[in-house]
Amino acid sequence: MRFRTHPMMFRRLMAALLVVLPLAFVAGCSMQDYPQSSLHPHSNYAQWIQTLLEQLTFWVVIIFVVVQALLIYAAIRFRSRPGAPDPKPIHGNTALEIGWTIAPALILTLVAVPTVLTIFKSQAPPPEDALQVRVVGHQWWWEFQYPDLGITTASELHVPVGVPVNISLETADVIHSFWFPAMGGKRDVIPGRTNRLWFTPSDIGQYPGQCAELCGTSHANMRMALMVQAPEEFQAWVAAQQLPPIEPEAGTLAAQGKQYFTQGQCIVCHMIQGVSAGVIGPNLTHVGSRTTIAGGIFPNDAADLGKWIINAPARKPGAKMLSLKDMAMSPEQVPAIVAYLQSLK
Amino acid sequence: MAVATATVAAHEAHPTSTGLNSRKMLFWAFLGSECMFFGSLIATYLVYRGRDQVGPHPHEILNIPFTSVSAFVLLMSSLTMVLALAAVQHGNVRGTRIWLAATALLGMTFLAGQCYEFTQFYFEGLALQTNLFGTTFFVLTGFHGTHVTVGVIWLWTLFVMAMQGRLPRERALDVEIAGLYWHFVDVVWIAIFTLVYLIQ
Amino acid sequence: MAEPLEGQARPRERAHPGAKEYVGIAVILTLITAVEVAVFYIPAMHPVLVPTLLTLSALKFCLVAMFYMHLKFDARLFSWLFVVPMIIATLVIIALMRLFGH
Amino acid sequence: MATTTAAIHAPVQAESGLWSWITTVDHKRIGILYGTTAFVFFLIGGLEATIMRLQLMRPDNTLVSPDFYNELFTMHGTTMIFLAVMPLSASFFNFLIPLMIGARDVAFPRLNAFSYWIFLFGAIFLNLSFFFGGAPDVGWFGYSNLTSKQFSPGHGVDFWAVGLQILGIASLAAGFNFIVTIVNMRAPGMKLMRMPLFVWMTLVTSFLIILAFPVITVALVFLLFDRFTGTNFYVPAAGADPVLWQHLFWLFGHPEVYILILPAMGIISEVLPTFSRKPLFGYPVVVYSGIFIGFMGWGVWSHHMFAVGLGPLADSFFALTTMLIAIPTGVKIFNWLGTIWGGRIEFKTAMLFALGFIAMFTMGGLSGFMHASPPADLQQTDTYFVVAHIHYVLYGGAIMGIFAGIYYWFPKITGRKLGEGLGQLHFWLNFVALNVTFFPMHFVGLLGMPRRIYTYAPHMGFDWMNLLSTAGVFGIIAAVLVFMWNVSRSLRHGEVAGPDPWGGATLEWAIPSPPPAHNFGTIPTVHSLDPLWHREGPELVKTANRIGGPIHMPPGSHWPMASALGITLLLSGMVFGWWLGIPGVLITLYGIYSWAFEPCT
């Protein structure tokens, strides 16, 4: 609740009190403690929802307090006492009935108006200058494409701060739901449909998100991160991503790894610009620049990457990536492949 | 759901709070429920209309003259059905038998027509799996056909009872309820014929 | 449980119509069907095809329900049991068509 | 013929043994069968929930595999809804409706037996999936296209879809039966507006059942066709839209929510007046709000689908209709408060549960109100916030209401009261534990924890709240154990209740506990809404217990059970192999024909 000036001061004060009450410990804690919180808005869209939620919470808390107070009061006041006379058999009261029909109706109106306004505001067409991003949900990882910039990446979405992001949502298999709580509400990703969502990130930072619609075995492991960057930082990232993949120097371990990569079955599923053309798994052209792998569940370091390549399904249940054994490759090849992938900054 | 309909077949009339017969009331509630059943099927057909990725499309395959005739046959079976009811209510044993048999035969004619139509469509390249039209069309009309089949079995059961002299005037309600079912199946076809065949 | 008690004791059933009325209704139903098919084949009617056909088949529907299923003569309760679900089903069909952009 | 042999004064009661239970058409016995069976499944569903809570106790836990976890929440939801809460409500319908309206039995006793048996067989069939290649793992809502052969190749989804079809038949049969029973079997003088509120809520629920189940039947038929014959109902590649499933499912699913909660509302509307010694406040208003809720339940289904992206117009429409439902719901709550206001409240266990219902249902209703607003819902849907919401409504609401009913009518059913001391312990344990379990879920949801995830990372801040929820579950388990102990003790040693232990107002308290097989010696004439509290009361009790002439009771029949078995075999052939369909068809046809031509009454 933002305090502005005098009018309705009392109401606002009450609101602040009541809203803060149930959310007290939430307000006290930071995003460091709850990184995926939906109560810490960092975009215009999330802020609209937050404002609406505060209004809703205000009324909900009032109604809650009134009803429970009446209930407790009645239970104590009218408890059976020895010698108490029989109660009057009252069958009803028309004035009361009308009253408690109209009162909720009024509250509903007070909530319905901002609700409808927020619906239309948040689902309005995005601004012209929005950054276009195409999101594709896969079992169980997120693919991010920037059609205007010619970039394809996975699990980590980079956007500049203060610039509207227009996201179109598609899926390669089943229904998923795209959700960065700090940026606003979720939107389902549905086969045969293209859904849309837009928001303008307001603060630099790194925000986690994850799939919110049951999508099979590893639904819990379908995570992602949003990197909201300063414009120049974002431009630098874009420039780096647009470069062709780094060619390892001949004779290095990475060069050896590239050879294993291209000779093995990796190329069936993975794309590295100019090296392989698979589209089933994540695009690896600049995989070395990412902080996580495997749908955002493991850090992108040599150890985890190695374990992942050796036996992906064992580390992430249901993962479609074959284990090393099933790819008929040998563990000795792994360090080289890891070195190659890590070199793809 | 067939069970609900069969259950009622042997119940006796009780005096009731509304004065209305319980079996008949159950049956009307059942028909209300059936409205939702066919409503969902029809809604699906309509929602998916025109979304096919491949042919054949309705206008290429539906045979209006043929189906008009079979719709007419079903319509006339409703007439014979009420005539059977009128006969049993007047204790007209012979009339009851004749009109029950006529209704069942008309129903079977309709079913034969549906079999012919389905086969014809199949040879023209429309199977259950071909496209959304095939899927929704066959399942919608197939469920209607299944209802007609149940009705035909029911009618022959009544016919056998009539032949055995077990369908006196006092059991007119048995025929009336079978009739309600039969007419319902007919009105559903009126809706399907219009929405699926005529409005393409 | 002996007597009906919903205030207005309803007539259990007015006499159902006889064979003559039934045949009369059948003739009307046949005529409507003929008109429906004719409308389908007359190009001039095509702009109003859908509303015409919907009206005509609704008419057929009502005739069968009212006369052959005796809703016109039986207790009002039966009509309610049938018509309310009919209305809900129709609204659902319309709503779904709207939601899917038809 | 059976008519003459059955025309004895106090028949059937003496009969005992397994066969008498298998062939029973007595609504009271069927009610008991429904209740005990449903309670067993309540325990199974609770066990599933317990395992889930243990898995979520700490981050990155590995107690169960993700696939098994998916099976657990699918079966937990399906079990609690279709095998616990609905049949527990059905148990009350069965036992009480004829007693409350002054009838000897339901309108169609054998259909009633059939309904129970097919419920039992369907429930067993569904749970057999655990032993035959894996239970369903797609959620109780089974969103397409995850349920397609491609993404769910095992038999789990088939078990689920066929099982729900079988259970649907049970619900439909019960729905038709109770509509006709309530409309047509009332005692003389019991006008519609003199029916106890529980009877009204049963009537509304029954209508919802017969209108909602056909929709899910059709949706499941499509799914089964897709899986078995390769049709395209939910196949995006063929141009189909998997969202159609969601619409059909929630067209059923939302009325289903009211099917779950309205009976509990009916129960507490009986309990509150009795223990306040005051008639229900605003009876007609409560009745009309119940009907209005039932009717409006058809116009709000898409509020389960705001995240689908239906467009701002549809979102607004469904938001407004949903908010509209809050009005009659609020009116009900205020009328319940009006009922206890100025009363003389006796805090018997049943009353505690009824008051607990009001408190907890209000919580659930208010969180529901919060996600009636689509933008807010988009942050809350598919998170633990919604898990908290449904458990406040269904556990704090429906289950607490059902417990209120059990404590209230146990004496009527068994002739003995449940122990008060243990009852109070049960209530307070349950009340505290359910809040410990479910209240933190509001926050863990708002802080970003999605539902249906088998694990979460340690740095997300979800840890301690999940641990708290898990701890709460043990309180709930303790409460349920106290209840079970109470029941087993009270069945043998409980205080003998007599016909009317609480001073109730409605007809069932006019006759002995447990009631004789024929219920009423003579069907009494009713002149008011709460007859036993009126001057007519003593006279009415006398009439109800006076046997005035020969009483016709329907003889038992095993054909309902046989038909139910046949249909179950027939349908389970879809999973176990077509050969099972052959005996299925034969038994079904034989059963139905024998049933239809069997003399009754």
Side-chain angles (χ1 to χ4, degrees), chain B residues 19-36:
Chain B
L20 300 170
N21 178 278
S22 288
R23 281 165 58 198
K24 206 163 150 186
M25 188 180 295
L26 180 139
F27 208 79
W28 274 111
F30 171 71
L31 293 185
S33 184
E34 286 272 78
C35 284
M36 295 305 293

Side-chain angles (χ1 to χ4, degrees), chain D residues 34-206:
Chain D
Y34 252 119
T36 42
T37 312
F39 190 76
V40 170
F41 284 108
F42 173 70
L43 296 180
I44 294 175
L47 179 68
E48 285 153 1
T50 309
I51 302 174
M52 281 194 280
R53 281 310 330 161
L54 289 173
Q55 162 70 14
L56 292 179
M57 186 170 69
R58 47 178 198 178
D60 288 339
N61 203 0
T62 52
L63 179 71
V64 295
S65 72
D67 284 326
F68 186 54
Y69 186 87
N70 290 357
E71 292 177 12
L72 285 173
F73 68 67
T74 304
M75 287 302 284
H76 169 71
T78 309
T79 299
M80 286 305 193
I81 288 165
F82 295 100
L83 312 184
V85 176
M86 278 183 78
L88 278 168
S89 303
S91 149
F92 284 104
F93 297 171
N94 268 286
F95 200 95
L96 292 167
I97 293 299
L99 300 181
M100 287 182 136
I101 61 174
R104 295 218 192 284
D105 207 319
V106 293
F108 302 96
R110 291 179 302 169
L111 184 62
N112 206 24
F114 169 78
S115 164
Y116 168 72
W117 291 110
I118 201 155
F119 151 67
L120 175 68
F121 296 144
I124 293 172
F125 172 80
L126 188 60
N127 278 278
L128 280 181
S129 58
F130 277 114
F131 308 101
F132 289 90
D137 57 358
V138 290
W140 86 278
F141 48 90
Y143 272 11
S144 146
N145 59 339
L146 185 59
T147 51
S148 64
K149 213 69 192 173
Q150 184 189 354
F151 296 108
S152 294
H155 264 321
V157 174
D158 301 328
F159 268 105
W160 180 75
V162 175
L164 287 193
Q165 296 289 45
I166 299 172
L167 293 165
I169 298 173
S171 304
L172 282 167
F176 294 127
N177 209 342
F178 283 100
I179 289 173
V180 179
T181 303
I182 293 171
V183 174
N184 242 1
M185 307 285 283
R186 282 165 287 144
M190 181 170 280
K191 296 180 177 166
L192 287 177
M193 292 314 274
R194 284 182 192 158
M195 296 197 309
L197 207 96
F198 178 69
V199 179
W200 261 114
M201 291 304 108
T202 306
L203 185 62
V204 176
T205 305
S206 302

Side-chain angles (χ1 to χ4, degrees), chain D residues 378-398:
Chain D
L378 291 178
Q379 285 285 29
Q380 294 160 6
T381 185
D382 279 317
T383 72
Y384 264 81
F385 189 85
V386 177
V387 180
H389 163 72
I390 59 159
H391 284 91
Y392 270 92
V393 174
L394 292 183
Y395 194 85

Side-chain angles (χ1 to χ4, degrees), chain B residues 38-51:
Chain B
F38 279 104
S40 310
L41 285 167
I42 291 172
T44 303
Y45 179 88
L46 294 177
V47 159
Y48 278 164
R49 174 145 65 191
R51 291 177 70 124

Side-chain angles (χ1 to χ4, degrees), chain D residues 311-580:
Chain D
L313 259 180
D315 280 2
S316 304
F317 175 83
F318 286 104
L320 294 180
T321 53
T322 305
M323 290 184 179
L324 206 55
I325 284 200
I327 298 177
T329 315
V331 166
K332 280 196 162 203
I333 291 175
F334 286 121
N335 275 296
W336 289 325
L337 289 174
T339 305
I340 61 170
W341 201 269
R344 208 179 67 201
I345 303 171
E346 289 174 66
F347 289 100
K348 295 283 193 263
T349 310
M351 185 61 167
L352 287 175
F353 272 104
L355 295 172
F357 173 101
I358 300 179
M360 295 297 96
F361 180 77
T362 303
M363 290 268 314
L366 289 173
S367 56
F369 175 60
M370 287 172 82
H371 39 253
S373 176
D377 177 71
L378 291 178
Q379 285 285 29
Q380 294 160 6
T381 185
D382 279 317
T383 72
Y384 264 81
F385 189 85
V386 177
V387 180
H389 163 72
I390 59 159
H391 284 91
Y392 270 92
V393 174
L394 292 183
Y395 194 85
I399 293 283
M400 293 259 280
I402 283 165
F403 273 127
I406 292 175
Y407 279 91
Y408 185 54
W409 282 298
F410 189 85
K412 183 49 62 188
I413 297 168
T414 66
R416 289 176 188 274
K417 283 185 178 178
L418 281 167
E420 254 319 297
L422 285 175
Q424 306 253 345
L425 177 65
H426 172 204
F427 169 77
W428 285 111
L429 262 177
N430 185 65
F431 187 80
V432 172
L434 96 86
N435 280 296
V436 173
T437 307
F438 300 119
F439 195 73
M441 290 183 183
H442 289 115
F443 293 106
V444 86
L446 289 173
L447 292 172
M449 180 164 166
R451 20 177 352 186
R452 304 175 185 122
I453 55 171
Y454 76 100
T455 190
Y456 51 90
H459 54 269
M460 303 303 279
F462 304 151
D463 321 15
W464 68 270
M465 283 179 277
N466 272 295
L467 187 62
L468 194 59
S469 285
T470 304
V473 167
F474 290 93
I476 294 180
I477 291 174
V480 172
L481 288 177
V482 169
F483 169 72
M484 288 167 68
W485 187 39
N486 196 358
V487 169
S488 71
R489 214 188 56 95
S490 304
L491 276 175
R492 282 166 291 140
H493 310 298
E495 182 190 335
V496 174
D500 186 11
W502 317 119
T506 39
L507 285 186
E508 77 271 27
W509 305 111
I511 53 172
S513 313
H518 56 265
N519 297 349
F520 298 90
T522 307
I523 304 293
T525 302
V526 179
H527 297 287
S528 62
L529 175 57
D530 19 49
L532 297 199
W533 284 359
H534 277 248
R535 252 167 298 159
E536 58 175 305
E539 186 53 39
L540 188 145
V541 171
K542 237 182 274 168
T543 313
N545 290 290
R546 187 181 62 231
I547 293 180
I551 294 169
H552 297 261
M553 292 306 292
S557 169
H558 54 280
W559 295 119
M561 195 274 274
S563 309
L565 183 67
I567 291 172
T568 309
L569 286 179
L570 171 60
L571 289 175
S572 54
M574 295 183 76
V575 179
F576 290 118
W578 60 270
W579 47 268
L580 205 57

Side-chain angles (χ1 to χ4, degrees), chain A residues 221-244:
Chain A
N221 296 324
M222 187 167 167
R223 302 179 195 157
M224 55 185 168
L226 181 74
M227 318 295 199
V228 180
Q229 298 170 309
E232 54 283 0
E233 220 179 315
F234 176 72
Q235 285 313 327
W237 178 81
V238 168
Q241 295 287 313
Q242 283 173 332
L243 292 175

Side-chain angles (χ1 to χ4, degrees), chain B residues 1-4 6-12 14-38 40-41 43-45 47-48 51-54 128-137 139-140 143 153-154 157 161 166 171, chain D residues 107-111 114 169 172-173 176-177 179-187 190 207 209-212 214-218 221-222 225-226 229-242 244-245 248 251 298 563 567 588 592-593 595-601:
Chain B
M1 265 165 273
V3 179
T7 323
V8 295
H11 236 271
E12 296 303 322
H14 295 285
T16 59
S17 350
T18 53
L20 300 170
N21 178 278
S22 288
R23 281 165 58 198
K24 206 163 150 186
M25 188 180 295
L26 180 139
F27 208 79
W28 274 111
F30 171 71
L31 293 185
S33 184
E34 286 272 78
C35 284
M36 295 305 293
F37 182 84
F38 279 104
S40 310
L41 285 167
T44 303
Y45 179 88
V47 159
Y48 278 164
R51 291 177 70 124
D52 301 295
Q53 309 288 300
V54 292
L128 197 51
Q129 299 86 354
T130 308
N131 56 14
L132 278 177
F133 170 57
T135 292
T136 51
F137 172 81
V139 171
L140 169 60
F143 264 103
I153 295 172
W154 193 348
T157 308
M161 286 169 70
R166 287 161 65 197
R171 307 212 54 167
Chain D
F108 302 96
R110 291 179 302 169
L111 184 62
F114 169 78
I169 298 173
L172 282 167
F176 294 127
N177 209 342
I179 289 173
V180 179
T181 303
I182 293 171
V183 174
N184 242 1
M185 307 285 283
R186 282 165 287 144
M190 181 170 280
F207 272 107
I209 287 175
I210 68 160
L211 299 182
V215 185
I216 186 80
T217 303
V218 167
V221 162
F222 292 166
F225 263 101
D226 272 7
T229 70
T231 50
N232 309 309
F233 284 109
Y234 307 122
V235 181
D241 194 338
L244 177 70
W245 164 272
L248 294 177
L251 258 165
W298 289 95
S563 309
I567 291 172
T588 306
I592 289 176
Y593 268 90
W595 175 355
F597 290 103
E598 181 183 44
C600 64
T601 56

